[in-house]
Amino acid sequence: MRTRPLKVALLGCGVVGSEVARIMTTHADDLTARIGAPVELAGVAVRRPSKVREGIDPALVTTDATALVKRGDIDVIIEVIGGIEPARTLITTAFEHGASVVSANKALLAQDGAALHAAANEHGRDLYYEAAVAGAIPLIRPLRESLAGDKVNRVLGIVNGTTNFILDKMDSTGAGYQEALDEATALGYAEADPTADVEGFDAAAKAAILAGIAFHTRVRLDDVYREGMAEVTAADFASAKEMGCTIKLLAICERAADGGSVTARVHPAMIPLDHPLASVRGAYNAVFVEAEAAGQLMFYGPGAGGAPTASAVLGDLVAVCRNKLAESTGPGESAYTQLPVSPMGDVVTRYHISLDVADKPGVLAQVATVFAEHGVSIDTVRQQGKDGEASLVVVTHRAADAALTGTVDALRKLDTVRGVASIMRVEGE
């Protein structure tokens, strides 16, 4: 066993970074045994050096992250500061000065993953990022390595614990969206500004990363269709229950039936209660993978938090350090298929549409005619009326999103349609 330690520098020492440092210290002997050499925390870059950080030698703390990554004696940089800059420059600088990188930065990887992989490859370094997608859940490595000999056709998942907590609370208690969000904030599941979570930005970044790995092609954040969940109502959950469904904010990455393109999208969707994802409660994450040979696989666990995310970071650290000792690198970017990303209009799925209509004869016939004219086949219709007003709930067979959009635009022009109360996709069947 090598006695000279591998030196590790930490960029960021917040909730995740402090847990990484703690585990490196408390599990030092185990990490040494697993790696084949000791690891030493050689520097910690922070914004507020005066803050007391339990278990970390103040002499290691610096505000000069650039100088830290340029030292030349650092073997591995752990980046947990998030955001695009200065993280991007610090990572590429680390590669240039001999360090491999472990990152949890989903936003940066979704936007510039290809460039970062190219920089790592140019300098013969590793870039690992298990913690960027689903916290403690092993997902990147199974997709990138365990399923490397298989063909993945679909990845369907709940990849944001905050949104799952809110929707689960709405489902189980009948709470409204704002009430459930307020509870999530009070319990620490939601940030003071929850926009990144509830508007789907966080999940979209993760979807881009998952799609790129699963389909061996380049998918950027801008390629991912995104809808938030602020418009989901208690009435939507009531309709879902009548269909034997619940509602989840899903990240969906699919290979086209002909294999010639892929799609990546994030949006609320109804999902049958007998689907494994329907039973994922609270702030947990789960990802359902469909592959040709392996069949259906599900990965489940805590998707965020200091300790769970640190677990994924430390798993990457062990792998990168082992590679360092073996003078090798692990898997890099695999984008050989170069598949195009299809627009949302080409996506084919089922839809649940709730309409406010006049309660008089002929309305249903008018509505059905509009669906037929746009090539959207109706599966079921439910109508309820009172005092001259009625609600009409239509569930379609599978149809292209562009066809459904044209249908809804035409429905809005009917005198008998007062408004479109809600439109929701039905997935998981």
Side-chain angles (χ1 to χ4, degrees):
M1 178 180 290
R2 169 174 151 168
T3 57
R4 183 168 63 82
L6 293 162
K7 294 188 177 183
V8 178
L10 188 58
L11 305 184
C13 198
V15 173
V16 175
S18 60
E19 276 295 310
V20 169
R22 182 188 67 80
I23 295 172
M24 285 184 64
T25 301
T26 58
H27 294 183
D29 291 342
D30 288 335
L31 290 172
T32 297
R34 294 166 190 172
I35 292 169
V39 289
E40 173 191 327
L41 186 60
V44 181
V46 299
R47 286 184 296 178
R48 296 187 298 275
S50 59
K51 180 180 178 180
V52 176
R53 294 172 173 85
E54 186 177 349
I56 297 177
D57 183 352
L60 297 178
V61 176
T62 178
T63 57
D64 194 343
T66 301
L68 182 59
V69 300
K70 285 184 174 181
R71 270 177 43 172
D73 64 334
I74 302 296
D75 294 291
V76 184
I77 296 290
I78 297 176
E79 183 272 307
V80 287
I81 57 177
I84 305 303
E85 288 291 358
R88 174 172 49 197
T89 299
L90 290 171
I91 288 173
T92 55
T93 302
F95 292 145
E96 293 166 2
H97 287 79
S100 290
V101 173
V102 173
S103 176
N105 196 331
K106 54 187 170 287
L108 177 57
L109 289 158
Q111 178 172 306
D112 290 318
L116 294 178
H117 274 293
N121 183 64
E122 178 185 354
H123 296 285
R125 309 301 169 197
D126 273 323
L127 174 62
Y128 276 53
Y129 43 89
E130 185 68 68
V133 171
I137 304 171
L139 185 59
I140 299 296
R141 194 170 288 113
L143 283 173
R144 192 161 66 170
E145 299 179 33
S146 303
L147 295 174
D150 206 340
K151 182 181 180 181
V152 175
N153 291 317
R154 196 174 197 227
V155 180
L156 174 76
I158 298 164
V159 294
N160 183 279
T162 300
T163 56
N164 199 59
F165 177 89
I166 293 170
L167 292 174
D168 182 42
K169 185 62 62 173
M170 293 176 69
D171 185 27
S172 60
T173 69
Y177 168 77
Q178 190 60 50
E179 181 183 354
L181 173 58
D182 290 344
E183 182 172 351
T185 303
L187 292 172
Y189 292 126
E191 301 287 345
D193 179 1
T195 303
D197 294 325
V198 301
E199 291 299 327
F201 291 102
D202 176 85
K206 295 171 180 177
I209 295 169
L210 288 173
I213 296 171
F215 307 134
H216 303 278
T217 196
R218 287 177 177 168
V219 180
R220 299 180 74 252
L221 181 58
D222 291 345
D223 296 322
V224 181
Y225 174 83
R226 178 193 55 79
E227 284 181 23
M229 48 171 274
E231 301 302 317
V232 177
T233 66
D236 292 325
F237 274 100
S239 293
K241 287 181 179 179
E242 290 180 1
M243 291 178 59
C245 294
T246 188
I247 298 171
K248 300 290 186 182
L249 185 75
L250 297 177
I252 305 169
C253 311
E254 293 179 306
R255 190 190 299 268
D258 63 5
S261 64
V262 299
T263 59
R265 50 198 166 101
V266 169
H267 54 71
M270 294 182 179
I271 190 166
L273 292 174
D274 60 0
H275 192 284
L277 291 177
S279 61
V280 178
R281 311 302 297 269
Y284 275 73
N285 285 192
V287 178
F288 199 70
V289 177
E290 300 175 11
E292 282 196 358
Q296 297 179 333
L297 308 170
M298 183 160 157
F299 301 83
Y300 170 84
T309 305
S311 172
V313 169
L314 268 295
D316 279 350
L317 176 64
V318 169
V320 170
C321 287
R322 286 171 175 171
N323 292 342
K324 193 85 172 182
L325 293 179
E327 297 183 350
S328 65
T329 56
E333 182 189 34
S334 176
Y336 72 92
T337 63
Q338 300 184 29
L339 295 173
V341 181
S342 295
M344 187 61 189
D346 292 347
V347 170
V348 176
T349 189
R350 297 178 66 206
Y351 295 86
H352 176 283
I353 305 103
S354 180
L355 304 172
D356 295 326
V357 299
D359 186 16
K360 63 182 183 180
V363 173
L364 180 56
Q366 284 185 327
V367 170
T369 297
V370 171
F371 276 88
E373 288 174 346
H374 289 81
V376 179
S377 176
I378 293 175
D379 182 15
T380 62
V381 178
R382 185 176 72 256
Q383 184 173 8
Q384 294 177 325
K386 184 178 180 181
D387 299 330
E389 299 295 329
S391 63
L392 192 64
V393 176
V394 179
V395 180
T396 74
H397 288 291
R398 291 174 63 82
D401 188 84
L404 193 282
T405 299
T407 302
V408 172
D409 288 343
L411 288 171
R412 295 182 193 276
K413 296 176 182 178
L414 293 178
D415 292 339
T416 51
V417 174
R418 310 294 194 222
V420 179
S422 71
I423 304 170
M424 191 164 295
R425 296 169 183 85
V426 183
E427 302 285 348
E429 295 183 317

